[in-house]
Amino acid sequence: MNDRRILSLWFPSLGADRLIRREPQLAEAPLAIVEERQNMQVLSSLNAAARAAGLRVGQPVRDAHAMCAGLLTRARSPEAEAAFLSGLRRWAGKFSPWVAPEGEDGLIVDLTGCAHLFGGEAPLLGVVEQDCNDLGLAVRMGLADTRGAAWALARFAGQAAGGHRSGDVIDQEAPATRSRAARRRHWTKGGAAPPVTSTTQVLSHRIAAPGQMYSALSPLPVAALRLDPEIARQLDRLGLRRVGDLLGQPRAGLARRFGRGLVMRLDQAMGSAPEPVSPAKPAEHFAVRLTLPDPIGLEADILAGIDRLLPRLCESLKAKARAARRVRLEAFRSDHGIASVEVGLARPTQDPDRVRGLLALKLDEIDAGFGIDVLRLEAMQTEPVHERRATGHLDAGQAVRDRLAANTALDDLVGRIGARVGLEAITRLHPAESHIPEKTAKVLAAAWSEPHAGAWPRTAPPRPLLVWPPEVVQAPDRPATPESFRWRGQDHAVRRALGPERIAPEWWLDDPAWRSGVRDYWVVETGEGRRLWVFYGHGGTMSSGWFCQGSFA
């Protein structure tokens, strides 16, 4: 018998709760977090006041403002929400060491062998709810033997499976039928007293007893199985609205009509298919801090602080066999503001001198304000490095040649230029295998690629130094080279022409630039001494004619 116990935590208002923790005054007014989906702004998270006003997640912003005039909206920050959820993951570690994120707004905790430390499962859920209340977070929980069942209970426990609103549903009552229902008497006039619910009773329907997934999941809607919305709608139209309706159906028929994904989700929820909890490995963190006795504001003083921080940071990187690719310097001002600069390197490094020069170039972007109290240096992106073997006397000459061949001068130059214009703006060319002239080279980012090893492949006949998209040349429409032509608003006389070189398009691709058909390329020398690369397109889906595509000088 499976003795695993899985706890699913769902924070339905994670984005709104995060902002309210920072700005408590937002809790009084309806607040909505807005994100863009398919070129439309929709609501992604709501606080309690916004839900009370009738708003819902996924609703367009324009409709929400029409329903609630006093609605406050804030743009969603996925990075900030991910960092906040990472902090909650560390908090959940008090209940079990096996904690993993579940989507963008949930956590999954493996409580196997841990519940007795808190007096049982119901008291443990009570502690979770109390901690979340103290943190100002709305939370919904589900506890079961499997990950899928815990996820379903956290999000759908207590919800009845509603019918699809279409004319072919039999069990939809008409308003007239409902109006003839017997009127219930109020409990103060002899009617039944309202049920009294306690916290234990509220939590009990979110706890599936060991081995009781069938009875716990049967009344839930089919969406609790983590199905695609389209499959859930198809099942609803067929009258299969509850999980219990699917459990009694032949598996072969379900898989044949809705795919194996539906059967897999059923097996995962019922425990027939494994779905382990894999806790995220703590990320390696490389950062150093320097607290100053008095505020500073001069660049020389900041550089002196950097000189103290960089060796410590590089030593911590060497201890983990890592090298820095991006480094960020944060300056904490006395007015509680933070100024930061970030630099990137063309090659990962553990050398403090290579990082210092790049940081010095950006110190003028730091606003010291009334003074800087704390300096913090962090390696934002690191890469592994490998140990180098020391060579003996016989290999000393080769080691020197290898070191000179692998010097970092070009990498340092790329890093300095990238600090000004961005590393993405610096590119290099590598040869590519193609007979199409404009595809004989591929463009790579210089900071994330190695130089091409060896000489550049030669072509026969040679290609021009400058190549651009084909430009129309005004000349007689015939394959023979013209005696003169007009290009870019100027007339040119042909002194000499070499060619032709025939190049056919790639027949397996529909390239719009090659709809002119087969091309005959010529090297044309004009009367002014220019050597141009022109071709005659014989015509395909486009009309034939002359074009100019490059220049040899």
Side-chain angles (χ1 to χ4, degrees), residues 65 96 130 135 139 152 180 239 257 307 309 314 329 341 353 372 409 417 514 516:
H65 279 294
S96 172
Q130 183 61 44
L135 294 173
V139 63
R180 292 194 297 268
R257 179 156 187 174
D307 292 336
L309 292 174
C314 292
L329 172 65
V341 293
D353 295 332
I372 297 173
I417 299 176
W514 278 79
S516 57

Side-chain angles (χ1 to χ4, degrees), residues 9 164 215 240 278 353 445 486 516 520 549:
L9 301 178
H164 180 73
S215 59
L240 302 174
S278 301
D353 295 332
R486 185 174 181 82
S516 57
D520 289 340
Q549 195 175 356

Side-chain angles (χ1 to χ4, degrees), residues 417-432:
I417 299 176
R420 295 296 186 185
V421 301
L423 291 175
E424 295 79 6
I426 307 173
T427 60
R428 62 162 50 102
L429 296 179
H430 274 215

